[in-house]
Every structure is written in structure tokens, then in C-alpha cells.
Amino acid sequence: MVVAVLRNPEKSPLFSVPERRNMLEAMTEGLDNVSVETFDGLTVEYAMSVGASAVLRGIRAISDYEYELQMALMNRKLQPSLETVFMMPAEKYSYVSSRLVREVAQLGGNIDCLVPALVAQKLREKIDPALKFVADELGISTVRERKISARKKKS
């Protein structure tokens, strides 16, 4: 399985393509049959270049379905042999989007139950660069260790 990260000039994500790739590589490290790659251009062209027979896409809501259906039909027109498979998340994650997670994090809310621990840590560092600086200075690696250290410094 290839997890492919698109370089999309239409979007301005919080994390760069290399940052996203690094996080995905870290989270799939123990999975021998998974590789993480980046690409730009058409998904169908990339899929064909790696010998893929299917593209897996996630759908959270009806609005996602409408967009994804259009993309799947266009991809089928461009490359009839490439299948698109849609997956729905568990109900408890159906409302989660990168925009909402970012907003919750920026307002100081707890995002630990919304994203993997590594992503939560990197998001907090991105939002509050001082957090990363302090952690690096103290040699602290996890968000939990950082919070404990910050509490100790305050007392």
C-alpha cells in the first residue's frame, strides 16, 4: 500500500508536504507493506506510475461524497482501469476535519482524542513555537512530558 501525499498548490495546509510525509512515515513505521510518497499532478497518473489498481478515499459526510464522486468519475474517464474505493469513518470520527482540529488546537482545546499523539504534538508545536523551543532545551520529547515540566516550572 502506498500512502500518497499530494502537493496541491490550491491549498495552504498548516504542515508542509515534507512534514506530513515525516509524520505519516513515523506512524506507519512498523507496517512493512506500507510506503509513504509524495506527488503532484493528477492522481490517476501517479497511481498508474506506481502500478496501483485502486485509490482509497475517505468520506465523512454527504458533502464529501458529492465531491469525491465527481473526482472518481473523472478519474474513471481518464483511466478506466483504476478503481476508486470509498471508506466511511467510525461514527465517532465522522465530524472530524483538519480545519476543526486546527481551530480547537488554536483555541487551546484538547485534540488528543481527535488525532494520533504525534500529530497532536506537532500541531501544538506549530501553533506555539515556544513549546517546541522549551521542549528541545529540556530534552523533552512527548507532549505529556512537556505539560508536566511546564507545571513544575510554574510552581
Side-chain angles (χ1 to χ4, degrees):
M1 174 181 275
V2 177
V3 177
V5 180
L6 171 66
R7 288 184 203 100
N8 187 345
E10 300 293 315
K11 294 188 175 185
S12 54
L14 184 63
F15 293 108
S16 68
V17 169
E19 288 171 323
R20 286 183 281 157
R21 181 181 184 158
N22 290 340
M23 285 186 280
L24 284 164
E25 286 175 337
M27 290 183 289
T28 58
E29 191 173 41
L31 305 173
D32 295 335
N33 62 337
V34 176
S35 64
V36 179
E37 298 182 15
T38 61
F39 76 101
D40 44 19
L42 293 173
T43 299
V44 293
E45 289 178 359
Y46 176 75
M48 292 296 100
S49 76
V50 296
S53 57
V55 174
L56 180 62
R57 303 288 298 190
I59 299 177
R60 295 180 311 250
I62 295 296
S63 57
D64 287 349
Y65 177 74
E66 291 170 359
Y67 172 78
E68 292 295 341
L69 179 61
Q70 277 186 315
M71 293 300 295
L73 293 173
M74 179 58 73
N75 288 345
R76 182 178 289 164
K77 183 73 172 171
L78 296 172
Q79 186 52 252
S81 65
L82 185 66
E83 293 292 331
T84 299
V85 178
F86 296 126
M87 290 192 70
M88 306 267 306
E91 187 178 327
K92 65 182 180 178
Y93 299 115
S94 62
Y95 62 91
V96 177
S97 71
S98 59
R99 181 186 57 79
L100 283 175
V101 170
R102 185 187 319 184
E103 285 180 25
V104 169
Q106 286 172 329
L107 295 171
N110 184 351
I111 57 169
D112 293 340
C113 62
L114 301 174
V115 294
L118 175 64
V119 176
Q121 176 182 339
K122 297 291 185 185
L123 185 52
R124 288 185 186 101
E125 290 172 0
K126 195 65 108 157
I127 290 169
D128 185 359
L131 184 65
K132 181 174 180 358
F133 175 77
V134 169
D136 290 346
E137 289 293 310
L138 297 175
I140 299 169
S141 61
T142 67
V143 171
R144 187 169 191 277
E145 289 173 347
R146 292 174 186 181
K147 287 181 179 178
I148 292 168
S149 178
R151 284 188 202 124
K152 287 179 182 176
K153 283 185 103 177
K154 286 182 181 177
S155 16

